[in-house]
Amino acid sequence: MKIIVLMKQVANKDAVLRVGADEKWIDESNISQQTNESDGYALEEALRMKEAKGDGEVVVCTLGAQSAKTVLKDALARGADRAIHVVADNVNRLSPYQIAKAIADAIASENADLVYTGLQSDDASYGQTGVILAELLGIPHATIVIEVDRASLNGSLRVKRELESGWYQWFKYQLPALLTIQSGISQIRYASLKGIMAAKKKEIRDVTPTIEPFAGAQKIEKVYLPLKMKQTQMLGGGDAKKGAVELVEKLKTEVRVL
Amino acid sequence: MILVFIEHKNCVLNKVSLEAIAAAQSIAKDLGLKVSAVIPCDKDCALAETIAQYNLEKVIVAKNPKLGIYTPDAYADAWEDVIKRENPQYVVMAHTYQVRDFAPKVAARLGKEVVGDCIRYTADGGKLTLTRRIFLGKLDADVTVGGDAPYFVTFQSGAFRGDNSEKGTANVESIDVNVGDIRMEAEEPFQEAKASVDLTKSEIIVAVGRGIKSQENLAVAQSLADALGADLAASRPICDAEWLPIDRQIGSSGQTVAPKVYIALGISGAIQHIVGMKNAGTIVAINKDAEAPIFDIADYGIVGDLFEAVPTLVEEIKKAKA
């Protein structure tokens, strides 16, 4: 049982973003980075599957600049067995198809039984790299998976997909298959000190991809702060307590709920 | 031509498809194109006559016995067949969970991508520039697509109004489409145990996000909810951490609410949350980060520490109510 987990390094959720000089992406200098949230859940789910089976291999893979090694090292510390780093700068200039193609080229020969990814990245949010990758690898996929019936694994696997408005649906997949994992599928473990020490001996293999132009690529022409949809009355002028007093006055006189 | 996807379950319409019709009609006007609707189904879909009452060139029922219950393989095959027959310029869909599942597959097979979750567009020189939210709603991106048609575009729920879709009359055309091997077996969709709290009926909601920091701190939010006679709700990370049960979750994967007043405490305002509450009468946001996207849709905003603001709020509300 071999599971490949795709993980991406993205800007920290709490980072204050500035538009870059070319207005086509954020200014990434001095931005703290983190592992994309749902990718962390994808890794956790893969580790739990390996533990449930008692054997197997979890291989983490990222496409990104050298700084993305942090993501791989963290995954190895949490329990992944080895890592593949598809080294590419300026990932933000690649379209989802180009990203999926580069990853497909890097992992096709691994012949994994399962490929897990997060359901979308928290930066570009294309939400399709996994699906395109499955198509390129010629394997079936399920998106927005919120539960994996690990006990059902036997050449096939039952997975629960989240639909909208509280609806769910189980599907049974023949392996190999690719699953995009929803945040919250399980509680994510922390890396132990032992794990961090063990990670230092684990393999990280660098792969240099051949990224070809893709005619159907979508291109970001300009990024900017969202246009304001509402006139917001800012209260308190930075003083939270003063703001609270003013807010109660507004709730009384303008909103009239008090 | 523009093809627009009509999503349904057992011939019952997913109403967000009417928003997709409105989007497609709008683009068609700007680009001088016609719109046809596509309904994948295993029979002569009962929905076809309803959709035929919109201003469309035709309603295509793409028929195959394997299209009775949704699978990504069957839908991808059916769409590939329809697209090859109709040669559309654009394929327009609502950005639903189902569309997220199959649309990128169809596009990839035809050497394309999906410009997904768009919130608006502009038409210039016969081509579209689409606007998407990126970085969890913190920034907008204007996007163009290269290469030849068809171009795949999905729109976020609420980007167009379904009741603005133009009525008319269309012919219904049923075609048998090719669907190959299906590599997954679908069971019947089901609803998890009914929510114990129906937040859709709440008059006032106090919702917490990651800014609440710990489960113990929920008491702070609860005190405000109690003072206002409000219900407590949360954004997804709070329910993922199991600090509150999932039936308290607001957003695309939780409940969609429109209370009189919505008070967001420490919620940054990711798109997935905003789609679930943006129709609230009055939105109040309290957040330390002055650039949090929640302030873009708030009527009243306080930039500051919620742990300072809330106790004062509670005190002042009690005074006001006394």
Side-chain angles (χ1 to χ4, degrees):
Chain A
M1 161 68 40
K2 187 195 283 185
I3 309 176
I4 294 182
V5 183
L6 303 185
M7 305 183 82
K8 185 181 188 186
Q9 187 177 49
V10 297
N12 192 295
K13 275 195 168 177
D14 299 320
V16 176
L17 305 180
R18 305 258 173 261
V19 173
D22 66 355
E23 297 189 336
K24 290 181 191 292
W25 194 246
I26 57 165
D27 177 0
E28 284 184 328
S29 53
N30 303 319
I31 286 274
S32 68
Q33 310 259 5
Q34 65 178 96
T35 299
N36 185 51
E37 186 179 40
S38 54
D39 298 349
Y41 286 99
L43 172 65
E44 179 63 36
E45 195 52 40
L47 295 172
R48 288 184 186 213
M49 176 64 98
K50 180 187 160 181
E51 285 155 7
K53 287 282 111 186
D55 70 354
E57 188 182 28
V58 173
V59 183
V60 286
C61 174
T62 195
L63 181 145
Q66 281 300 343
S67 68
K69 283 244 160 36
T70 319
V71 169
L72 297 177
K73 285 177 183 164
D74 180 59
L76 294 172
R78 283 169 204 264
D81 297 291
R82 64 184 165 92
I84 300 169
H85 186 176
V86 186
V87 183
D89 288 325
N90 299 318
V91 177
N92 58 293
R93 286 188 209 148
L94 300 179
S95 82
Y97 191 100
Q98 288 176 306
I99 293 169
K101 181 70 169 57
I103 294 172
D105 290 346
I107 68 169
S109 61
E110 292 276 347
N111 293 313
D113 300 288
L114 286 163
V115 180
Y116 288 2
T117 79
L119 85 164
Q120 65 181 37
S121 62
D122 292 339
D123 53 2
S125 290
Y126 290 123
Q128 54 192 300
T129 307
V131 178
I132 299 171
L133 176 62
E135 181 67 16
L136 294 175
L137 292 172
I139 63 176
H141 76 267
T143 55
I144 320 178
V145 170
I146 192 65
E147 191 177 339
V148 175
D149 179 3
R150 293 187 281 267
S152 73
L153 181 70
N154 182 17
S156 63
L157 184 65
R158 275 180 86 235
V159 302
K160 186 163 106 181
R161 289 195 57 226
E162 185 178 294
L163 311 179
E164 282 142 346
S165 315
W167 284 79
Y168 298 88
Q169 189 172 16
W170 284 97
F171 285 83
K172 187 169 141 192
Y173 279 78
Q174 297 304 315
L175 302 191
L178 180 144
L179 311 180
T180 82
I181 304 291
Q182 170 68 291
S183 292
I185 191 168
S186 53
Q187 294 300 310
I188 294 181
R189 71 193 64 193
Y190 291 101
S192 63
L193 188 60
K194 199 172 147 222
I196 293 166
M197 296 311 289
K200 293 184 175 158
K201 296 196 186 94
K202 292 177 179 172
E203 177 194 277
I204 301 180
R205 183 163 58 89
D206 279 10
V207 174
T208 307
T210 313
I211 294 172
E212 281 163 19
F214 174 63
Q218 54 192 294
K219 195 168 152 223
I220 296 178
E221 303 288 354
K222 186 177 160 72
V223 302
Y224 48 95
L225 289 172
L227 311 173
K228 252 181 128 31
M229 287 177 269
K230 268 188 181 173
Q231 270 310 327
T232 309
Q233 296 189 41
M234 299 307 288
L235 308 174
D239 179 341
K241 283 183 187 161
K242 189 159 161 264
V245 175
E246 289 175 24
L247 176 60
V248 173
E249 194 55 32
K250 299 285 181 190
L251 291 177
K252 220 166 22 179
T253 57
E254 292 179 9
V255 189
R256 296 195 192 141
V257 287
L258 292 175
Chain B
M1 183 193 298
I2 299 175
L3 292 180
V4 59
F5 169 54
I6 305 301
E7 183 170 327
H8 69 101
K9 191 165 68 188
N10 300 325
C11 309
V12 177
L13 178 68
N14 181 341
K15 283 198 173 135
V16 74
S17 298
L18 300 180
E19 297 180 12
I21 291 178
Q25 286 175 336
S26 172
I27 294 170
K29 263 199 195 122
D30 288 337
L31 299 185
L33 298 169
K34 297 203 151 106
V35 183
S36 290
V38 178
I39 314 179
C41 197
D42 60 341
K43 48 189 170 292
D44 291 312
C45 191
L47 193 52
E49 290 305 326
T50 312
I51 299 303
Q53 291 165 26
Y54 288 89
N55 184 16
L56 300 163
E57 177 80 355
K58 58 185 175 181
V59 176
I60 304 165
V61 179
K63 232 170 40 163
N64 188 290
K66 292 176 183 168
L67 294 168
I69 188 162
Y70 170 80
T71 59
D73 278 357
Y75 265 53
D77 286 356
W79 264 103
E80 185 187 2
D81 195 346
V82 172
I83 287 169
K84 285 185 172 156
R85 289 172 198 236
E86 301 290 333
N87 282 315
Q89 289 288 111
Y90 284 88
V91 178
V92 173
M93 307 190 186
H95 192 71
T96 63
Y97 280 25
Q98 186 178 96
V99 166
R100 289 162 69 174
D101 195 54
F102 78 82
K105 184 178 177 67
V106 183
R109 205 178 272 181
L110 299 168
K112 309 287 169 194
E113 298 177 345
V114 176
V115 184
D117 212 12
C118 300
I119 50 173
R120 61 177 177 270
Y121 76 87
T122 51
D124 191 25
K127 279 205 83 174
L128 297 189
T129 298
L130 287 312
T131 303
R132 309 174 58 235
R133 284 270 143 92
I134 56 174
F135 288 97
L136 299 169
K138 287 183 186 167
L139 293 173
D140 279 359
D142 286 348
V143 174
T144 56
V145 210
D148 303 325
Y151 308 107
F152 292 80
V153 181
T154 72
F155 284 100
Q156 190 173 105
S157 160
F160 287 82
R161 288 182 61 101
D163 49 15
N164 282 353
S165 47
E166 267 177 46
K167 294 281 186 169
T169 47
N171 288 326
V172 177
E173 185 183 301
S174 189
I175 57 172
D176 292 313
V177 290
N178 291 314
V179 175
D181 289 341
I182 309 298
R183 297 166 296 179
M184 63 286 296
E185 290 166 41
E187 298 174 23
E188 281 298 322
F190 62 98
Q191 221 167 356
E192 298 259 275
K194 202 78 190 122
S196 56
V197 223
D198 186 358
L199 295 171
T200 62
K201 299 210 165 59
S202 305
E203 288 264 302
I204 306 178
I205 290 177
V206 172
V208 295
R210 290 188 307 132
I212 199 76
K213 291 193 184 124
S214 76
Q215 190 166 22
E216 294 69 48
N217 289 342
L218 285 174
V220 176
Q222 187 65 56
S223 68
L224 176 59
D226 291 344
L228 283 167
D231 287 309
L232 194 60
S235 64
R236 179 156 196 137
I238 302 304
C239 298
D240 281 353
E242 294 174 6
W243 295 352
L244 278 174
I246 191 148
D247 58 13
R248 298 273 171 178
Q249 188 176 314
I250 305 293
S252 53
S253 47
Q255 301 196 50
T256 301
V257 296
K260 232 189 208 170
V261 180
Y262 191 93
I263 301 182
L265 303 177
I267 291 179
S268 64
I271 312 160
Q272 291 82 354
H273 183 75
I274 285 177
V275 295
M277 46 65 77
K278 65 183 173 193
N279 291 324
T282 299
I283 297 171
V284 178
I286 303 179
N287 203 301
K288 270 168 116 168
D289 177 6
E291 297 185 41
I294 191 80
F295 288 121
D296 295 338
I297 60 155
D299 299 276
Y300 303 99
I302 298 175
V303 176
D305 188 344
L306 74 92
F307 299 106
E308 282 180 31
V310 172
T312 308
L313 265 176
V314 172
E315 205 177 298
E316 292 294 317
I317 289 164
K318 281 181 181 160
K319 271 193 232 162
K321 280 193 165 179

